[in-house]
Amino acid sequence: MTRPTPLWLLVVLQGGISAASLVVEIVAGRMLAPHVGMSLYTWTAVIAVVLAGFSAGHWWGGRLAALPANRALAWTGGAILAAAATTAAAVLILPLVAGPVLAVVTSPVWGITALTMVVFFLPSFFAGVPAPVLAQIAITAHADRSGPALGAMFASGAVGAIAGVLLAGFVFIAWLGSALTLVLVTFVYIFSGLLFFWLGRSRGFALAILAGAAAAGMAGLALAAPAQCQRETHYFCLRVEDLSADPSSPVHLMVIDHLAHGISARDAPQVQFTVHGAMLDTLTRLRAPREDYSTYVIGGGSFSVPRSLLAQGAGPMTVAEIDPEVTRLAAEEFWFDPDSAEIWHEDARRAMLIRPEVEFDVIIGDAFTDVVVPVHLITREFYELVAARLTPEGSFLMTVIDYEDRLGALGSIVLTLREVFPVVEVWTQAAQPAPGARMVFAVVAGNAPTPVDQFTAPAPDLMTFGALGDGFVQALAQDRGMILTDDYAPIDRLMGRPD
């Protein structure tokens, strides 16, 4: 190089690349959700793989930093152009490899980790290369103030990372979607890579332009790829599927991330199409203390249960659905009338906490993150809040999913509820589950038992549901349960299947 690169330009480059790489990390979690869900395991895998990529990239970048500055810049430019290509390719690769990878690596934990490694390790690796190269150039070219220069480079990387996280989480994903966000990152990388070549006065600049054009073409293919989400919101990837056997009588399924969260028929609002919906619907009516009972539903989803209860004469209905887009989709595609209920677009626990004056005859917990109930909705402190918001004859119902051969999550929820409520029941379909099968339960808590121990309900075919025996439930809570608190509630571990 004939003249030193200005420190401000090195700082801007470091901050921009750091921001772009953290945008990719946040988007990775969202892109994986339609395939493996959004869970503790998903974010653990994403963070681990991205940090592993950064670490390996930093190591290689450190070796490049030992080269003469012009050669180091050229090699770094090539790495960033590779980051551009692999970032754009992630949009195309993920749908192709998700099925085969998860079929080969059947453990949920290692399957998520392997899929994340296949798709997102290389973009992180290449994005990690510039940091040591830029730091070496900064302290060499500005030897008279090497300390401040090095500090500025570290600070720029940290500030860029913070900006990338905030922009991805609060702006890009909700407004642009995952694919377009990664395309934007791709072009940031292309510009940065070409700038590295220019700063290094590299003879390979023409080749770099061709590589940048190829990466831009990859970005175009990514934009043209089928979208995984019908709507991508601040919280979820939403999709609607038509299950209608008769087009004149539509039936729709709502998919949130990778799981079915509700099914509704336009012409049969009172019919449930899921096991948990049938149990919640019927148990609510069985335990309602009066005809015009008031209900608070935690988690709207397709609003199938609120719609059914209202169609069958329920009284005042309140629904806490944190995502306004979910409510809009339920109104547009699932025939729910938003004016038929009071809807709180906020966290369900906070909504109750800040409204000490409200009381309900029935509170229904039907919120999920992946297949587990959000951790702050399964603790003793939350159940105490629920009890305080119920009328004296009121009941709390919640959906719980667990595996037949584990039941640690179910046992812990039952044990914790018994700390607060005198009566706790567990209901499920009256059928022998397959070994190791994932089962759906409805847990009921209140001051009195349900007046029946068995019922039939359409889901949509008639199914029989029954309450598990008191002795079995007692043993389940004592042998496999733990008290869940705001301080300690390892629901992902209790629910997870690491084998």
Side-chain angles (χ1 to χ4, degrees):
M1 293 175 58
T2 59
R3 56 184 173 81
T5 305
L7 181 60
W8 69 265
L9 183 54
L10 296 173
V11 167
V12 169
L13 271 171
Q14 176 61 34
I17 292 170
S18 181
S21 64
L22 265 293
V23 168
V24 174
E25 179 176 356
I26 300 301
V27 172
R30 171 52 60 86
M31 289 181 61
L32 288 165
H35 303 282
V36 297
M38 186 65 71
S39 65
L40 176 65
Y41 299 139
T42 305
W43 280 115
T44 300
V46 168
I47 294 170
V49 167
V50 170
L51 288 178
F54 288 163
S55 300
H58 292 337
W59 172 82
W60 189 38
R63 297 181 66 85
L64 295 180
L67 300 174
N70 60 336
R71 290 184 60 197
L73 286 169
W75 276 100
T76 304
I80 288 300
L81 290 176
T86 52
T87 297
V91 180
L92 304 170
I93 292 173
L94 179 58
L96 297 178
V97 304
V101 169
L102 296 175
V104 172
V105 187
T106 55
S107 164
V109 174
W110 295 113
I112 294 171
T113 304
L115 181 59
T116 308
M117 179 72 73
V118 169
V119 180
F120 292 104
F121 178 80
L122 284 180
S124 303
F125 169 74
F126 290 121
V129 171
V133 174
L134 292 172
Q136 176 66 25
I137 293 174
I139 61 176
T140 301
H142 304 276
D144 58 328
R145 47 196 181 103
S146 59
L150 189 60
M153 296 303 295
F154 276 99
S156 176
V159 171
I162 294 169
V165 169
L166 295 176
L167 286 171
F170 294 158
V171 180
F172 291 153
I173 293 176
W175 290 95
L176 303 180
S178 297
L180 187 54
T181 297
L182 288 191
V183 167
L184 178 63
V185 170
T186 297
F187 280 97
V188 170
Y189 284 157
I190 292 173
F191 175 80
S192 301
L194 294 177
L195 184 56
F196 277 119
F197 274 94
W198 180 79
L199 290 173
R201 303 297 190 268
S202 174
R203 296 178 181 178
F205 190 70
L207 185 61
I209 292 177
L210 291 177
M218 189 79 72
L221 292 176
L223 282 181
Q228 298 183 76
C229 310
Q230 183 176 331
R231 295 189 189 180
E232 198 164 7
T233 76
H234 288 286
Y235 299 94
F236 306 115
C237 171
L238 305 177
R239 192 171 73 252
V240 177
E241 296 184 8
D242 189 349
L243 305 181
S244 309
D246 179 1
S248 65
S249 183
V251 178
H252 290 173
L253 162 69
M254 178 180 284
V255 180
I256 299 180
D257 291 337
H258 74 136
L259 293 175
H261 273 249
I263 304 174
S264 282
R266 185 193 65 188
D267 302 326
Q270 75 283 4
V271 175
Q272 295 299 315
F273 289 77
T274 61
V275 168
H276 80 277
M279 287 193 289
L280 293 178
D281 179 281
T282 305
L283 286 167
T284 296
R285 291 182 286 110
L286 284 172
R287 296 187 62 87
R290 59 180 189 273
E291 290 186 4
D292 61 338
Y293 60 92
S294 58
T295 312
Y296 178 48
V297 180
I298 299 172
S302 63
F303 284 74
S304 301
V305 171
R307 180 171 176 248
S308 173
L309 294 174
L310 288 168
Q312 297 176 82
M317 176 73 64
T318 303
V319 182
E321 171 52 60
I322 197 168
D323 192 342
E325 284 300 319
V326 171
T327 302
R328 277 191 277 272
L329 192 61
E332 295 170 10
E333 299 284 352
F334 293 86
W335 310 283
F336 177 75
D337 179 8
D339 294 331
S340 64
E342 182 176 357
I343 301 174
W344 297 340
H345 289 127
E346 54 188 303
D347 178 78
R349 178 168 172 172
R350 179 182 180 277
M352 286 194 293
L353 190 64
I354 64 176
R355 296 174 174 88
E357 75 284 355
V358 300
E359 278 192 338
F360 302 97
D361 294 312
V362 181
I363 296 178
I364 300 174
D366 194 26
F368 281 86
T369 300
D370 198 59
V371 295
V372 300
V373 182
V375 65
H376 66 301
L377 303 181
I378 55 165
T379 65
R380 179 174 55 201
E381 292 85 350
F382 171 68
Y383 295 145
E384 288 170 347
L385 176 62
V386 167
R389 297 295 181 268
L390 284 172
T391 58
E393 297 178 316
S395 300
F396 174 61
L397 290 68
M398 68 178 296
T399 306
V400 177
I401 298 174
D402 206 346
Y403 289 92
E404 177 270 343
D405 55 345
R406 292 177 67 94
L407 300 181
L410 177 65
S412 297
I413 288 171
V414 169
L415 186 63
T416 306
L417 279 167
R418 285 188 165 183
E419 292 276 296
V420 180
F421 293 95
V423 175
V424 178
E425 302 171 345
V426 179
W427 291 74
T428 192
Q429 184 180 358
Q432 181 66 37
R438 194 162 68 190
M439 299 181 66
V440 179
F441 302 92
V443 180
V444 176
N447 293 322
T450 305
V452 300
D453 59 9
Q454 184 174 293
F455 63 83
T456 58
D461 297 327
L462 278 179
M463 290 185 180
T464 300
F465 302 93
L468 301 182
D470 290 340
F472 178 85
V473 174
Q474 176 72 20
L476 174 67
Q478 290 179 345
D479 297 343
R480 305 194 189 187
M482 64 172 63
I483 302 297
L484 305 173
T485 68
D486 285 348
D487 179 62
Y488 185 61
I491 189 64
D492 288 275
R493 177 173 62 80
L494 293 169
M495 177 66 195
R497 296 182 61 84
D499 54 317

